[in-house]
Every structure is written in C-alpha cells, then in structure tokens.
Amino acid sequence: MNQYERHISRLREELRQRSSDEKAESSRRYFPDGINCIGANAADIKSIISGFHSDSHSENAELTAVEVLAIAEHLLLTAQCHEENLIAFGLLNKLVKKNYDDDLLLRFEYWLEHYASNWAQVDDLCIKTIYQFLLSRPHLIVKTQHWATSEVSWCRRASNVVWVKFIKRGMGKSTYYLDKQLAFKNCDLLIDDKDEFVQKSIGWLLKVTSQHHENDVIEYIENNATKMTRPTMRYAIEKMDAATRQRLLSLK
C-alpha cells in the first residue's frame, strides 16, 4: 500500500462511519436520474476535509501541497461514490490560493470532463475550489470561457457556474467586475444546448448578472426569449420585480 492509499483508506473509513441509509435516501431526492452515494451530507464532507488538515493528524500536517493534490487525484481516479469526489475536490480548498501554478486550471478542466458526474459535483468544484483558486489569479477568470465548447455537458455547465461569483467580487482593496458582454456571449454559445443542467446554468448566470446589470439582462431576455427554455427564463428573472417577471414570461 503506497502513501496515497493509506490516506485514502483513512478518508473512506471516516466517510463510512459518518454515512447512513437515511442520509443517502435524502440525497437521492435531488438526483432524479440516480446517484451512487453512500449517505453523507455537506456537513459530514466538510468535517472530514477539516479533519484531514487538522493538527491532530500529524502525518497529514507534513504533506506538501503537491502531495495533497496527488492524493486528491488518486481518490478521484478510484472514487467509489459521489461523496468521495466531493472530498477529493475539497482537499484543495485551503491550499489553492497560495500554492500551485496557473496550470492547475487545466487539471480542473480535466476533472470536469472526466470525473464530475452530476450537477452537485460541478457546482461544488466551481463555487468552492476553483473560486478560491481564481480569487488570487483574476487574470485566469476569463480563461474558462472555452469550457462552453466542451463535448462534456458538465464542463459546459461549469463555464457558467464558475463565473457566478465574479460578476462583481471584492478582491483585497479592489473590486473585480466580469465583463457583462462575456457573460452574454457565454449564454449565446449555450442557449441551444439540449442538456437541462447547462440550461439551468444559463439561468443562474443571468440571474446573478441581473443583480448588477438588470436592464441589460432584461434586454438580453427580450431578444432571446424564443430561444430560451421556460425554466431557464424563470431562473434568470427570479430576482426581478413581479411585474417585470410577468411581462418577460409572457414572451414565451
């Protein structure tokens, strides 16, 4: 057994101890197409990741960032359930701001195309791990746009989700603003996508964009209403006033 397998075996044992059939059944409600889960919730996953990095595990404290990345990738390669993917992603959360080089973004793309298997894994990786990574590398934020042309639907979803926290984001003493035209261009690229979770990501990106550029989003919806699915539009207009929501929905 190599060093990675020892760490992974310990993580799996902790996951097993925290899991239950009741929690597995609760999780399955959110995945109508099915999910292979052991039955651990978000709090369990967070606790396992925190424990991995805690001082109580002296062996883990000596691991380098590169070694933790190797453990994460080995866990992804051999993952047996949904929760193991989430743990693998989360192992890097506290490390990505100050460690690794820009090429880690390429690995994230690979993970999305080869390991992500549901919307929750995509969102977890984007909103937590990649978000922390990009916070200290804002020059890379727009570099994810080509994910919209991926053959893998989960990566296409990620091209929108990875931006939702960067429409307007404080970074130290400055504020980062994602070019709203880039957001609309991404929506243009994906508006005819047949995958429902890609469609939902369009609605999510438009909804967040509307909180800072509402008139622009309204105009975009008016110009593209016939192309948008009704669920996508409903999600996009969720934060708008009732009269505006009603008027835009009437365009469908």
Side-chain angles (χ1 to χ4, degrees), residues 116-129:
S117 60
N118 59 60
W119 61 266
Q121 291 175 9
V122 172
D123 297 359
D124 202 76
L125 179 58
C126 289
I127 297 299
K128 297 177 182 178
T129 314

Side-chain angles (χ1 to χ4, degrees), residues 33-34 37 41 54-55 59 80 91 112 133 136 142 151 154 161 179 194 201 221 227-228:
D33 295 329
C37 63
N41 58 32
S54 71
D55 293 337
E59 182 183 359
Q80 300 168 1
L91 289 179
L112 288 163
F133 178 74
S136 59
V142 300
E151 294 183 0
W154 298 124
V161 176
D179 183 349
K194 302 303 181 184
S201 75
I221 293 173
K227 299 179 183 179
M228 299 176 72

